[in-house]
Amino acid sequence: MENISDRLFDYTFSPLFFLLLLASVIGIGTTLFLSRIPKTTGVKYLIGYSVASAVWAITYAFEFAANNIDLKIFWSKLSYLGIVFCPVTFFFFAMAFSSRKKQLGAIYQVVLWSLSGLFLSMVLTNDLHHLHWVAYSVNTQTHATNYEYGPLFWLFFVFTYVLLFAGNISLIQLYFRLTTFYRSQITLTLIAAVLPLLGNLIY
């Protein structure tokens, strides 16, 4: 029977691994802090975003550390448990925080959650249809996974960035509606929202 020490040889723990673990811990800490103020406007969506981000960080840490392609794809699929819900929760947070949540009818909210679930199911069943990833391999120089993306990935890409940009636009509009006293808070929120977006675009 394979023991824990044998399984550890399946992973290479680099500084990036521990950095991603730290990001996950920060996400969990943020979730615990926000759970103390559940009635604050939009906070339930921010909690969802923090949880999704933490899941994304820790699963990507293990994907990057994994030494073989099967393990990498296993962790990559699990990472989508966080990835698919990040744009939706962020968008709903931005709309609620900017007092525009009522502009979204219940049907639109159901559609967005359903689309997230659909994209997740497509990733988890990719071996059956190869519409999200057509092929993948390990980059021997960077230890990262190289993906050849299929049509469903690009649909998810558009879905993600439409929601992220729409959420940021709502926050920018809120910035100009508020007094100088509150603008500093919105500025910090925008920086926190834009940096991950830029990082992902660079990736």
Side-chain angles (χ1 to χ4, degrees):
M1 181 179 292
E2 191 176 35
N3 57 41
I4 294 176
S5 61
D6 292 331
R7 292 179 181 178
L8 288 176
F9 285 110
D10 291 332
Y11 298 91
T12 299
F13 300 105
S14 65
L16 178 59
F17 173 83
F18 294 103
L19 183 62
L20 288 166
L21 281 188
L22 177 61
S24 180
V25 170
I26 292 172
I28 294 170
T30 302
T31 300
L32 293 175
F33 172 78
L34 292 172
S35 64
R36 299 167 59 185
I37 49 173
K39 295 183 179 180
T40 305
T41 302
V43 77
K44 64 180 180 180
Y45 300 115
L46 195 54
I47 289 174
Y49 180 76
S50 297
V51 171
S53 298
V55 170
W56 185 357
I58 193 169
T59 50
Y60 182 65
F62 279 97
E63 179 200 341
F64 188 79
N67 290 327
N68 65 72
I69 191 62
D70 291 333
L71 268 180
K72 283 183 176 293
I73 296 305
F74 169 77
W75 286 109
S76 185
K77 287 181 178 180
L78 288 185
S79 72
Y80 274 81
L81 293 170
I83 292 172
V84 298
F85 297 113
C86 278
V88 178
T89 51
F90 173 75
F91 175 68
F92 285 152
F93 160 73
M95 295 295 284
F97 193 64
S98 58
S99 302
R100 299 178 60 186
K101 183 67 164 44
K102 292 182 179 179
Q103 296 179 18
L104 292 174
I107 185 64
Y108 293 106
Q109 298 179 45
V110 171
V111 167
L112 291 178
W113 287 120
S114 298
L115 284 174
S116 294
L118 177 61
F119 285 123
L120 175 60
S121 67
M122 291 297 99
V123 172
L124 297 179
T125 60
N126 185 74
D127 294 341
L128 300 176
H129 49 72
H130 302 288
L131 293 175
H132 188 85
W133 299 311
V134 176
Y136 33 74
S137 59
V138 179
N139 187 317
T140 55
Q141 293 183 331
T142 64
H143 202 64
T145 311
N146 291 334
Y147 295 100
E148 183 180 341
Y149 297 111
L152 280 180
F153 170 84
W154 295 111
L155 286 175
F156 176 64
F157 179 89
V158 172
F159 172 78
T160 296
Y161 282 94
V162 165
L163 291 180
L164 292 178
F165 279 116
N168 278 290
I169 289 172
S170 293
L171 293 177
I172 291 171
Q173 291 174 335
L174 177 64
Y175 176 89
F176 290 105
R177 296 205 311 264
L178 297 177
T179 62
T180 304
F181 176 78
Y182 291 105
R183 284 183 177 181
S184 60
Q185 300 176 31
I186 301 300
T187 300
L188 291 175
T189 304
L190 280 169
I191 292 173
V194 169
L195 285 179
L197 178 61
L198 291 177
N200 205 40
L201 279 172
I202 292 170
Y203 167 78

